[in-house]
């Protein structure tokens, strides 16, 4: 018996897809099989992980890093699959793949998931490689982390592999420093050493707090999961050369941000 299901999710939408040598992490047994007395389950999950990395190296996709939080999310769902019998990506009362990963503590902006039930780790891996949707998830160059779980039930192995593109969890100070560095690369604008004004502006959706000081010549607030570049509108203002000072502030994201790691920032130009 071999049954498959695959899913891909991104920041904007979630859509269904067609249904290395390394040593195991020190807490691998706890994170994957749930107990240290289940060597077959640990071995099967680790074998799926190694087979995936061998396939990725052969395809030039790069190795996946083991993510304990993803492994925990995979384990919780794998246990649910084993209890339910028929496999699925989400059961009644259960969060979706992104929600489970976020609840487990993973930081990411892409989540992809493969699930299956079969007789061996090798059989499950080969079936995923033969299925276009599963193969795309497994070999995706957009992901760089994975957590795998295997649970044995009904004389079969239930398997879950959660893949993600990891996002580094940054403090407010780190976020502000990163944005300030991007501003310096694009202009000669000086950075205000006191982020209080920008943090106050970041915390509201409209206007400029009265106690934050004089209204700036330009104010930009935005939320994103990546900080590789500044918003286009901000870059255009910096390019005018009419501003001499930038206040950069970070705060908690606003609104429904879901399970994906999201940052909120504000830049006030003077």
């Amino acid at each position: 018996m071999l049954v498959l299901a695959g899913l891909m999710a991104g920041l904007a939408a979630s859509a269904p897809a067609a249904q290395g040598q390394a040593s195991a992490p020190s807490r691998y047994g706890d994170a994957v099989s749930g107990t240290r007395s289940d060597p077959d389950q640990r071995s099967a999950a680790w074998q799926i992980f190694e087979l995936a990395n061998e396939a990725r190296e052969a395809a030039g996709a790069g190795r996946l890093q083991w993510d304990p939080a993803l492994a925990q999310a995979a384990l919780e769902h794998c246990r649910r699959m084993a209890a339910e019998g028929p496999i699925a990506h989400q059961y009644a009362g259960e969060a979706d793949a992104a929600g489970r990963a976020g609840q487990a503590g993973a930081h990411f902006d892409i989540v992809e998931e493969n699930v299956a039930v079969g007789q061996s780790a090798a059989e499950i891996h080969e079936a995923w490689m033969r299925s276009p949707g599963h193969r795309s998830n497994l070999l995706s160059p957009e992901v760089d982390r994975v957590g795998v779980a295997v649970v044995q039930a009904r004389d079969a192995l239930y398997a879950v592999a959660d893949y993600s593109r990891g996002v580094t969890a940054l403090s407010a100070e780190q976020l502000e420093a990163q944005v300030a560095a991007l501003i310096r690369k694009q202009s000669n604008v000086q950075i205000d050493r006191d982020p209080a004004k920008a943090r106050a502006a970041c915390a509201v959706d409209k206007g400029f707090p009265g106690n934050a000081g004089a209204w700036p010549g330009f104010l930009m607030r935005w939320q994103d999961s990546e900080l590789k570049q500044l918003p286009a509108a901000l870059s255009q203002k910096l390019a005018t050369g009419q501003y001499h000072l930038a206040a950069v502030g970070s705060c908690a994201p606003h609104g429904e941000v879901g399970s994906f790691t999201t940052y909120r920032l504000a830049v006030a130009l003077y």
Side-chain angles (χ1 to χ4, degrees):
M1 173 184 66
L2 179 65
V3 184
L4 308 175
L7 173 144
M8 300 189 298
L11 272 174
S14 174
Q19 310 276 304
Q21 300 301 317
S23 58
S26 59
R27 297 193 62 195
Y28 180 75
D30 294 333
V32 176
S33 71
T35 75
R36 293 186 179 277
S37 61
D38 279 326
D40 290 344
Q41 294 174 32
R42 293 197 306 272
S43 176
W46 189 249
Q47 185 179 357
I48 288 173
F49 171 64
E50 289 188 317
L51 288 170
N53 272 331
E54 289 174 7
R56 288 177 64 87
E57 287 184 328
R63 290 182 61 85
L64 295 170
Q65 175 185 334
W66 182 266
D67 189 309
L70 288 178
Q72 184 60 42
L75 174 61
E76 294 300 322
H77 185 60
C78 201
R79 286 173 171 167
R80 182 67 182 269
M81 285 203 314
E84 296 282 348
I87 65 172
H89 288 289
Q90 186 176 13
Y91 298 98
E94 183 186 38
D96 62 11
R100 296 192 301 269
Q103 290 167 8
H107 296 278
F108 53 89
D109 61 6
I110 289 177
V111 169
E112 302 175 355
E113 180 175 87
N114 284 351
V115 302
V117 57
Q119 295 302 308
S120 70
E123 179 189 52
I124 289 169
H125 171 75
E126 289 303 320
W128 283 347
M129 289 295 289
R130 290 194 301 268
S131 166
H134 294 86
R135 181 185 179 90
S136 177
N137 287 352
L138 196 155
L139 298 182
S140 172
E142 297 298 316
V143 300
D144 55 19
R145 302 182 186 184
V146 68
V148 184
V150 176
V151 171
Q152 186 169 8
R154 302 178 186 83
D155 297 321
L157 296 180
Y158 289 78
V160 176
D162 285 337
Y163 313 92
S164 80
R165 180 169 66 192
V167 173
T168 302
L170 301 175
S171 67
E173 292 76 13
Q174 290 173 322
L175 288 168
E176 291 159 2
Q178 192 163 333
V179 172
L182 291 172
I183 291 174
R184 290 191 185 98
K185 287 179 65 176
Q186 294 189 20
S187 71
N188 294 321
V189 171
Q190 297 298 308
I191 304 300
D192 193 338
R193 294 184 178 182
D194 183 1
K197 296 189 293 292
R199 288 180 179 178
C202 180
V204 297
D205 291 318
K206 295 181 179 180
F208 197 69
N211 62 356
W215 188 276
F218 177 77
L219 175 62
M220 181 84 197
R221 282 179 280 246
W222 77 98
Q223 294 188 179
D224 204 343
S225 61
E226 292 185 353
L227 294 177
K228 295 181 180 179
Q229 59 186 16
L230 298 174
L234 178 56
S235 293
Q236 291 168 4
K237 289 294 183 180
L238 289 170
T240 66
Q242 66 184 92
Y243 302 101
H244 67 276
L245 182 68
V248 182
S250 174
C251 62
H254 289 194
E256 295 293 329
V257 297
S259 303
F260 297 94
T261 301
T262 304
Y263 302 124
R264 181 176 175 85
L265 293 125
V267 172
L269 299 180
Y270 298 87

